[in-house]
Amino acid sequence: MTEHHFSTEQVICPQCGSQRWRKLTSQWLCKNGHVIPTSAGLPDFSAGGTLAAQDRKLRDRLYNGLLGRYYGFMMPLLSMPARPILQSLSQWAVFFITWIVLFDLLWGMTVAFSGGHTVIGCLLLALLLASGAVLYRHSYLFWLLLVAIPVKLILLLRPYKPAETFPDVHRRWVNALKDAGCEQVLDVSTGTCNSLLRHGWTSLGAQLHGVDLSTTMLLQGADNAAAAGVPIQLYVADAQAMPFPDACMDLVLNYGALNGYQDQARALAEMARVLKPGGVLVCLDEQLYDRAGKLEKLYFEKVLASHDTIMRFPREAVPVVLDLVELHQIYQFYYLAIFRKA
Ligand SMILES: C[S@@+](CC[C@H](N)C(=O)[O-])C[C@H]1O[C@@H](n2cnc3c(N)ncnc32)[C@H](O)[C@@H]1O
């Protein structure tokens, strides 16, 4: 095998640390012959059975499942009470149609049985039970059906205004990093690349890298980035054991994932490890605002944060090498934390 068969990547071989790879369809081979399997064409650094139970469950049940397959619709659906109505019209339409269908099934079944149409009644009962099974399996949908309207009304009546808005915080940091120079950006748990593409980071002109555990999510991410004309290197990898050398990134992003990992301390230490000294880490995830009432709390715990191992900013998990420079309660249900590596 001659040297020109190998491409130089940022990622390192977990076994020997080599950064020289020969890319084959079904696997990547490092210079020393260690094999990394590919999953749907993406190198899979998560293989090897070391994945923690919570992370495996999240990947298999949620992000490789219903939520992940229809992420572009499902995520706005779950957060629709907190989003502007005009931005989630189709989600509200599906919500009301679901209620109408469930009500019609129940009403139709009652009429059928009381009119002696047993076969039709049994059919409608079977459909109701099947709907119940889906809602039982995806209990966040059941709770959303129950609380979406009252929570929306509460949020409309008592709007929340953070000291600085989400777009303003992003604008300020994108500009600061443009001035400072930013060449390597890693989006940890990039999923569909939704947040990476939306918040201005691509204007830095940096080389972009993304890791995620779910191939279902990453394949959508590859499509979304290609549609936006944004080149990015994507890898299947665990946020808590990433295949990057120390101190190679200027900026690390982590949107909507930190609270769901099994081990926040390990994930933050890993993100700190790959950051260059002076590099910036941005984390966003679920946290309930102080003014929340009982219904908002119920919606938060049963719908938005139902998959989390911790439902607030994990302050105690931050390694000493990371200085917390800003912590915002950016929306009613989300914090935004910005760190700089010492
Ligand atoms: C709510 S999604 C957020 C996706 C994206 N950052 C965004 O803002 O749209 C959470 C993502 O975290 C990923 N994830 C969960 N546990 C992970 C782990 N241990 N390592 C890497 N990614 C993980 C999931 O596969 C999923 O794509």
Side-chain angles (χ1 to χ4, degrees):
M1 223 174 283
T2 52
E3 196 67 357
H4 70 266
H5 283 121
F6 288 86
S7 67
T8 305
E9 294 276 338
Q10 272 282 2
V11 280
I12 54 173
C13 170
Q15 291 183 60
C16 66
S18 165
Q19 276 178 264
R20 290 202 164 275
W21 296 97
R22 184 170 184 232
K23 298 176 184 174
L24 306 174
T25 315
S26 60
Q27 59 191 37
W28 281 24
L29 281 174
C30 88
K31 192 176 75 170
N32 297 315
H34 298 123
V35 175
I36 297 296
T38 56
S39 173
L42 298 168
D44 186 350
F45 289 88
S46 74
T50 54
L51 205 55
Q54 165 74 6
D55 302 287
R56 188 183 301 278
K57 191 173 124 201
L58 266 187
R59 181 194 60 186
D60 296 344
R61 289 200 54 187
L62 221 55
Y63 295 110
N64 281 350
L66 180 75
L67 182 78
R69 278 202 299 277
Y70 305 102
Y71 190 78
F73 182 83
M74 292 295 283
M75 208 51 215
L77 177 77
L78 299 186
S79 53
M80 69 184 193
R83 293 161 65 90
I85 292 176
L86 286 178
Q87 277 178 28
S88 43
L89 281 179
S90 48
Q91 281 76 16
W92 280 108
V94 167
F95 173 85
F96 284 114
I97 289 169
T98 306
W99 261 121
I100 290 168
V101 169
L102 288 177
F103 181 79
D104 280 356
L105 284 176
L106 190 64
W107 181 76
M109 185 190 72
T110 317
V111 171
F113 278 128
S114 57
H117 305 290
T118 317
V119 176
I120 296 179
C122 287
L123 202 69
L124 295 177
L125 176 62
L127 285 174
L128 260 180
L129 289 176
S131 314
V134 172
L135 292 178
Y136 179 75
R137 183 167 162 71
H138 304 281
S139 59
Y140 52 90
L141 292 177
F142 167 78
W143 286 104
L144 183 72
L145 276 176
L146 287 191
V147 301
I149 293 178
V151 170
K152 180 78 219 171
L153 291 175
I154 292 169
L155 298 182
L156 281 176
L157 291 173
R158 287 189 314 158
Y160 173 72
K161 287 202 171 40
E164 191 178 7
T165 67
F166 186 73
D168 283 347
V169 176
H170 277 81
R171 213 167 290 126
R172 186 160 53 75
W173 277 94
V174 169
N175 288 337
L177 284 162
K178 263 186 198 155
D179 293 345
C182 179
E183 289 168 3
Q184 302 290 335
V185 175
L186 168 64
D187 190 21
V188 180
S189 295
T190 190
T192 61
C193 297
N194 177 40
S195 300
L196 175 67
L197 296 172
R198 281 180 55 181
H199 302 314
W201 302 116
T202 52
S203 70
L204 291 171
Q207 191 173 356
L208 304 178
H209 314 263
V211 299
D212 201 282
L213 268 189
S214 160
T215 315
T216 306
M217 295 288 279
L218 276 181
L219 290 178
Q220 295 170 64
D223 287 347
N224 291 340
V230 174
I232 181 166
Q233 307 284 331
L234 295 173
Y235 309 98
V236 182
D238 181 2
Q240 296 149 110
M242 295 190 285
F244 295 101
D246 296 352
C248 62
M249 299 291 165
D250 299 286
L251 171 66
V252 173
L253 305 168
N254 185 245
Y255 287 95
L258 181 62
N259 291 11
Y261 301 149
Q262 174 140 341
D263 189 338
Q264 284 72 35
R266 221 177 114 208
L268 284 167
E270 187 62 351
M271 294 185 229
R273 180 186 69 76
V274 302
L275 266 180
K276 295 177 186 170
V280 172
L281 167 63
V282 176
C283 292
L284 170 133
D285 219 341
E286 287 93 10
Q287 173 170 278
L288 196 56
Y289 70 144
D290 288 342
R291 272 180 15 203
K294 282 197 177 120
L295 268 173
E296 291 157 283
K297 191 162 181 275
L298 190 66
Y299 164 66
F300 177 76
E301 289 177 0
K302 299 288 188 189
V303 181
L304 276 185
S306 62
H307 61 286
D308 283 342
T309 51
I310 180 165
M311 295 189 181
R312 57 169 174 76
F313 172 59
R315 187 181 288 272
E316 64 288 350
V318 178
V320 284
V321 67
L322 288 178
D323 292 332
L324 178 64
V325 287
E326 290 178 21
L327 180 61
H328 304 260
Q329 180 71 41
I330 204 77
Y331 293 114
Q332 291 96 332
F333 304 110
Y334 294 94
Y335 68 83
L336 180 65
I338 300 175
F339 309 86
R340 203 179 267 286
K341 183 172 171 181

